[in-house]
Amino acid sequence: MSPISIRSLQSMKAQQEKFVVLTAYDATFAQLAAEAGVEVLLVGDSLGNVLQGHDSTLPVSVDDMAYHTASVARGNRKAQRPALIMTDLPFMSYGTVEQGLASARAVMQAGAHMIKIEGDDWLIPLVESLSRQGVPVCAHLGLTPQSVNKFGGYRVQGRDDAAANAMVEHCQTLEQAGADMLLLECVPNALAERITAAVSIPVIGIGAGPSTDSQVLVMHDMLGLNTGRAPKFVKNFLTDGRNVQQAFAAYVEEVKDGRFPAEEHSFV
Ligand code: KIV
C-alpha cells in the first residue's frame, strides 16, 4: 500500500473522512500505531514532558527532535501502510527564518515528511520560505504549549469574539502563505468548526471538539499513562481488557466514526 502523503490527507478532507493522528517517539510504538491505521505520527515536543520528565516542552532541542524522528521513521517504514511523519520544531528554534530553515532541515533529513510550528501570523515569512523549498508545514494555533509562560498556564484560547475573529483570520492568512495543515489546541467547539469551514487545508484538533477533519492525542494520555490529572480532552483507550494494539485500533475506530471526541472532551 502506498504511504500516507499530504495528498491522501487532502483528499480525506474533501471526502469528509476523518484521519487520525497520534504522537510517537520511538520505533516500536510508531510501527504499531501505523499498523493500527493511524495516518499521521506526530513526533511531538511533548516528549519533553512524557519522555524526559520536564514540566513543559521548553527544554527540548532540535537534536532531541531529530533523534526521535529517526527512530519513528525506522519503525514506520516496517508498517504495511507507513504513516506521514510530522515533527515539531521545538521552542526558540524558529524565531528567525534562517533558524527555522536550519531546524526544519535537521528534522526533515532525520525522516520527517512535514514540520509543525506554533504561532499565528508572525509565522508567515517562515511558512512562505519553507513552502517554496518544498517543506510541508502545519501551523499550531490556540493553546500553543511553547507559550505557556506568556499565557500564564494551559488555558482554553479564543473564547472572546476579538480573539476568535483574529484566529480565523490568522488561519486564512497562513493557508494563503502556503501552510498545508492546521492544528487547533484547546479552543471552543464553535470556533474550531468555523475555522475548519473557513480553510481548504485539513485541520487537526485536540480539545477542539468533533468538527475538525482529524484528531490528535498524546500516546501516553490515550493509554491512560497519566502521572497527574488527565486534561478534559483526553480519553483512555487502554480499557476493557484491550492490549496496546487494540487500544490504538479503538482510538482509530472512534475518531473515524465520530464517537471521539464526545461532548465531555470538548470546550464550549
Ligand atoms: O507536542 C505535541 O504532542 C503536540 C500535541 C499536543 C498536539 O503538539
Side-chain angles (χ1 to χ4, degrees), residues 17 31 77 109 148 152 169 201 209 216:
E17 183 191 341
Q31 183 180 345
R77 219 173 277 140
Q109 289 182 341
V148 60
E169 202 184 306
I201 52 179
V216 60

Side-chain angles (χ1 to χ4, degrees), residues 60 77 92-93 109 113 116 162 173 178-179 187 215-216 224 226 239:
V60 177
R77 219 173 277 140
M92 297 288 277
S93 72
Q109 289 182 341
H113 303 115
K116 175 162 82 61
T173 50
V187 301
Q215 298 291 327
V216 60
N226 298 100
T239 54

Side-chain angles (χ1 to χ4, degrees), residues 3-20:
I4 301 290
S5 67
I6 188 76
R7 285 180 56 136
S8 330
L9 305 177
Q10 283 155 353
S11 69
M12 288 172 85
K13 172 163 178 136
Q15 287 162 21
Q16 297 186 332
E17 183 191 341
K18 304 267 184 200
F19 63 89
V20 184

Side-chain angles (χ1 to χ4, degrees), residues 23 25 42 44-47 57 88 116 118 140 183 185 206 216 218:
T23 66
Y25 317 99
L42 169 62
D45 60 355
S46 52
L47 67 85
T57 59
D88 273 333
K116 175 162 82 61
E118 297 182 6
H140 180 159
L183 188 149
E185 178 164 353
I206 177 165
V216 60
V218 169

